[in-house]
Amino acid sequence: MTSASTAQSASAGPAGPDGPADDGSAEASAAVPPAGGSGVPGVVRRRLATVEARLDGWSWLATGAVVLIAGILRFVGLSGPGGKIFDEVYYARDAYGLIDRGVEWNYKDGNASYVVHPPLGKWLIGLGEWAFGYQDAEGRISVPGHLVTTAPEFGWRFSAAVVGTLSVLLLIRIGRRLFRSTALGCAAGLLLALDGFHLVLSRTALLDIFLLFFVLAAFGALVLDRDARRRRWARALDAGLDPAQPGRAGRPAGGWRSWPWWRLAAGVLLGCACAVKWSALYFVPAFALLVLFWEVGVRRSAGVRRPWRDTLLDETPWLVAAGGLLLVTYVATWSGWLLGDEGYYRLATNYPGAPLSDAPVVGPLINLFEYHKAAYGFHTGLETPHKYQSWPWQWLLLGRPVAFYWTGEGACGAPSCASEILLLGTPLLWWSFLPALVGLAWLGAARRDWRAGAILLSVAAGLLPWFWFALDGRTMFSFYAAPALPFLVLAVVYVLGAIVSPAPAAGAGEARAPAVGDAGYDRRLIGGVVVGAYVLLVALCFAYFYPIFVGQLLPYADWSARMWLDGRWI
């Protein structure tokens, strides 16, 4: 029995937000080689279709415009306010220690710092300090930049601004690939660029923007892996492969060129994410499930008799390899600690009574494990009350944002003034997330759309584990939701795409817009107006709150007017 006879009885799935979902498998145009006489049915070709990989100059021009907006918002006035704000007092200092000594260092006391987060995010912050200079009055440090000397605040905030801007770029391209629409991809990037929560994290030397970036990059790599694997199967079917054959005879040809390179890259990127904060681990099983479901889907579409069995046999070794790369990448980020003798818990002789080892080779690894046990104990036992702590069910409602900076000093032309940096999502955008998730779940189920499932699973990985920790009364903050933010934006854009209801794919990279008089033209026009109005309202909302995202000095009455939930936001 051939793939043709197997698939001819299948029917296309209902339309997704940008065209037919084809049993949850279709994306954009059919970037599949011509059949070449193999007789592969059209339904199989649609289900194995991937986004057209051709270079689209107009899409990159639109992408560049949105990224430019994001960059301007993140870099203009980056050195203000002066001094270290909120947790910059820890991360900026630790970052300089890594650049200077290879480990986090307490320059005031002259010993290694005890830290509870892995080093990669601080290494990245330290790159900005190396390039532009660093000052610390408490530690009596003043170091010029290796590239150019600027205000020290610019140095320790530079990397966060770069990565925040790059995350907007990533979301645009991921959104375009998911929705096969440059307009929707750019809408996703613009909404992220105009989010106050993302803006504040992009202008502050904290770790969470780096975590967000690496998680999003890993997701993007897996979407590329999905496309690559579907192209592989489509080409094999075109060449006459019969997937009903047992063993290797029914599978595409192997070889290093057919390895899942993007999946392996995702393992490296997840290793980087875990090396910023351990909470990235929640995405590891979620993303592994995505890979398995997508691989089962491509085999089922191709006509494989036992798609689950073959998927587990073929793909488990590659998932293990990706996990191995994750671990190697994570350990490599501790190289400064492993290769030196000054790190906290590094040498047993410096910590009498601690369960450490000075054995060669394995000793450093044993001590690193013990260090991780101590840090894990700190995290699980963190129950100290904090003024700005919040619970996970408050985060999407903006129930308790975090004030990074506040002062009443300065001249603003009014009797009293206020300047604040508040970690607050743009309210109109964030209050759209819960309705968007409901709509996403409904539309995804009705259309059997793999994109909805991928977005929902990623949101769940970023938010649901914190509900479990809340049962133990752990101290938490709203910025723990950062890695879920891009996926929440994708949920909103998915629903916006359903409102616009584009026409099915026309065989090119973009969905063909209906001409005047075509069926669906009026609905698309009205939907476009609704979507445009929504994005405009988000932009206006962002502009209104912008002063409290960047610490502009305001008359006290103007500042107070922006405290919409004054009992929660002050």
Side-chain angles (χ1 to χ4, degrees), residues 15 30 67 94 123 139 143 147 168 174 214 241 253 283 442 461 487 491 506 511 537 558 565:
V67 172
D94 291 342
W123 275 111
V143 180
L147 299 182
V168 172
I174 291 171
F214 285 119
L241 175 72
F283 289 88
W442 176 268
F487 304 103
L537 288 174
D558 291 347
L565 304 181

Side-chain angles (χ1 to χ4, degrees), residues 308-395:
W308 272 105
R309 186 201 66 177
D310 286 5
T311 293
L312 293 175
L313 289 175
D314 293 346
E315 307 304 332
T316 298
W318 290 116
L319 288 175
V320 172
L325 286 174
L326 184 158
L327 181 61
V328 169
T329 301
Y330 177 82
V331 173
T333 65
W334 287 85
S335 57
W337 188 94
L338 289 166
L339 299 177
D341 295 333
E342 294 184 329
Y344 188 87
Y345 255 35
R346 175 61 182 82
L347 296 178
T349 53
N350 295 338
Y351 300 91
L356 305 179
S357 171
D358 282 337
V361 183
V362 297
L365 296 177
I366 292 173
N367 297 349
L368 184 62
F369 175 74
E370 293 295 335
Y371 192 175
H372 279 63
K373 284 177 57 178
Y376 178 76
F378 170 85
H379 286 298
T380 55
L382 184 61
E383 298 178 0
T384 305
H386 192 282
K387 181 179 180 180
Y388 293 109
Q389 72 180 72
S390 57
W391 301 110
W393 47 85
Q394 296 177 294
W395 294 345

Side-chain angles (χ1 to χ4, degrees), residues 97-176:
L98 285 166
I99 294 297
D100 184 42
R101 309 179 72 103
V103 295
E104 296 90 341
W105 193 258
N106 185 333
Y107 286 88
K108 180 180 179 181
D109 299 333
N111 53 30
S113 295
Y114 171 61
V115 297
V116 294
H117 291 300
L120 181 57
K122 290 165 282 186
W123 275 111
L124 294 173
I125 294 171
L127 289 177
E129 296 172 343
W130 176 89
F132 302 106
Y134 177 74
Q135 290 183 8
D136 186 341
E138 183 178 291
R140 298 183 296 279
I141 302 168
S142 181
V143 180
H146 286 74
L147 299 182
V148 60
T149 300
T150 64
E153 295 84 0
F154 184 86
W156 63 65
R157 294 169 188 162
F158 173 79
S159 295
V162 170
V163 168
T165 304
L166 289 177
S167 67
V168 172
L169 171 62
L170 274 180
L171 190 63
I172 294 171
R173 304 313 294 183
I174 291 171
R176 180 178 182 270

Side-chain angles (χ1 to χ4, degrees), residues 81 196 199-200 203 405 418-422 540-555 558-559 562-563:
L199 179 70
V200 172
R203 294 172 57 92
Y405 170 84
S419 173
E420 182 176 30
I421 294 179
L422 186 65
L540 292 174
C541 186
F542 170 82
Y544 178 72
F545 283 94
Y546 178 79
I548 64 172
F549 296 150
V550 299
Q552 284 186 2
L553 193 64
L554 295 171
D558 291 347
W559 169 83
R562 289 166 170 80
M563 300 295 105

Side-chain angles (χ1 to χ4, degrees), residues 40 107 143 163 181 235 264 267 343 423 447 452 456 465:
V40 178
Y107 286 88
V143 180
V163 168
S181 166
R235 289 167 180 156
L264 298 177
L423 183 65
R447 297 170 170 180
L456 281 171

Side-chain angles (χ1 to χ4, degrees), residues 27-30 50-54 56 176-177 179-182 505-512:
E27 283 182 354
S29 64
T50 62
V51 170
E52 179 61 58
R54 65 183 173 84
D56 186 338
R176 180 178 182 270
R177 184 166 286 267
F179 305 129
R180 64 176 176 83
S181 166
T182 297
E510 298 291 327
R512 181 184 65 84

